[in-house]
Amino acid sequence: MKIVMYSAVVLTLLILSGCGGDSRSISSATNSVDDKLRAKIDGFGLSGDPSKNRDIPAITDAKAQLGMKLFYTKALSLDFDAACVSCHHPLLGGGDKLSFPIGAEAMDPNLLGPGRLHKNTGNSLFDGGPTVPRNAPTTFNAALFDVGMFWDNRVESKTGEPGANGGSADDILMPGTSDSERTESLVGNLPATQALFPITSAEEMRSFGHAELQNGDAVRHYLADRLSGANGNTDLSDAARAAWLEAFREGLNAPDANASTLITIENIASAIGEYERSQLFIDNPWKSYVEGNTDAISEEAKKGALLFYSGYDEGGANCVQCHSGDFFSDGALYVMAVPQIGRGKNHDGSTEDYGRANITLKSEDNYKFRNMSLLNISETGPWGHSGAFTSLRSIVKHMLNPDESVHNYNPYTELKQRGIEVQCNDVEVNTAHALEQLHINRQKGISPHQNVDFSDEQVDQLVAFLETLSDPCVQSADCLRQWIPDPRSPNFELLQQLNATFQ
Ligand code: HEC
Ligand code: HEC
């Protein structure tokens, strides 16, 4: 009798373990992929939770609510035709689903995402394609960046302290009069510092006129005056200014403060930063797997994860050497030779994008771009600094073997066939320069990347793994509702928010 009871207990334990408890010991007999993967997870010290030990606001916090209003208002663009959300909408993966975004001078400023086109301004600045030279990255998980922001880290923490989100104002460098002349930030943390720049960029929100506003600071102070009414600014109606004052008083918990002390460029940027920092989307199937739920991801994804976390000598792709930790990025800069389409970004008027070298002016930094986080990656395409890839599969193949990917790259099949109109004039020659730099860096031992040739099946496995990094919330309009202002709110019209149509 005793023996029968004992074996019943063992049987129950076995069943329980098989159902997603701590299955390490049980699965060793049945599933070696899980075992190997658990060993990798332990070896790399992953917890699944990149938000640990961080102070992250909730979207319901008063300051994040103020930031949301500012993020959605066109009043922060000189010509009232673009807002942050024009290129970073939560329903569009925190970006815009375009290779290159269109900010100022859109044909229809209220249409976001695919179909948003640049107006033909009839002058030499318009060449038929977008004027912005780089892909708009997602604003999701802005609270998790510690090293730098932008594709070239030109907003950058001096310390990179883990968990500090860049630190306070004097810990952060930002572009001054030019990208290469950086100064200390005006505000703390990386997202708030970054928010000082789109409003001063002609292509994004500043527009090309208003010559009287001679530099970035003049634009910033003008926009703060617009919302507060300081310096006799009457761009907005009395009612709209009163609504902003109310919003700032509530958001900054200063019921008696006056407009000019409250509505400053520093407070605008730091409130926008809080809204972005509240966009924490990390509850994905992979996290659940790391936390012990063995059934959270498919067998195919597990095999992909193993390729991602295994070194070259083990037959893996070693993606983890750059896309490391629970945030899937070390924040560092590498040459990966993603095809160079678009207008380019440089000091020489070419169509090249020199990446980090635009900041440091050092040739050894040519074509280096920041390594991206892979959280929610299935929702944030097109991919790469130039948005050159329109499928997750094609960017993954590029990461495996840039030489082969560049050789096979065809802007017609990758972009134009999908209705994406972008400038591709010098794509071959510019991309060849970047690839050459990758070869030099490999020879010098600066680039840790090695080409890997995987079968189609293995590429599918990697893609299946990457798909487990998306939080279901970012795929659900219902879940994202909190991060989108309610169009029925009484101040909606007054604040001139976008009433965007979505595709
Ligand atoms: C015209 C489209 C456009 C508008 C409008 C715009 N952005 Fe961006 N955003 C971009 C592009 C393009 C980049 C990348 C630029 C680069 O790296 O050189 C970017 C980068 C960023 C980043 C850095 C993300 C990262 O991974 O480093 C953040 C955060 C961000 N934008 C927030 C904002 C905020 C806040 C506003 C409003 C104040 C705004 N953006 C307005 C297009 C836009
Ligand atoms: C040597 C460092 C390094 C390695 C190894 C590496 N990556 Fe990357 N990854 C980068 C950099 C840098 C970028 C941005 C490049 C650019 O756009 O110019 C990037 C971009 C990406 C992107 C697009 C991100 C976006 O938001 O557009 C994906 C997806 C990606 N990598 C996946 C992988 C996978 C999968 C592997 C392994 C097969 C891998 N990477 C290996 C450095 C690396």
Side-chain angles (χ1 to χ4, degrees), residues 50-51 54 56 93-94 138-146 149 165 191 273 275-284 326-327 373-377 380 469-471 474 483:
S51 72
R54 283 172 197 265
I56 298 180
T138 184
T139 54
F140 292 167
N141 296 326
L144 306 181
F145 287 74
D146 292 329
M149 289 201 126
N165 204 199
Y275 166 68
E276 294 176 306
R277 281 163 32 76
S278 78
Q279 295 183 330
L280 184 73
F281 300 115
I282 58 168
D283 280 327
N284 56 52
D326 292 303
F327 185 47
S373 166
L374 301 178
L375 295 174
N376 303 308
I377 192 73
T380 60
L469 306 181
S470 291
D471 184 330
V474 308
W483 285 273

Side-chain angles (χ1 to χ4, degrees), residues 221-252:
H221 290 120
Y222 183 88
L223 292 169
D225 289 353
R226 174 185 279 176
L227 303 193
S228 70
N231 294 313
N233 190 309
T234 53
D235 286 356
L236 296 184
S237 68
D238 292 350
R241 282 200 304 275
W244 278 116
L245 179 57
E246 191 50 40
F248 274 81
R249 282 176 168 166
E250 252 174 54
L252 302 175

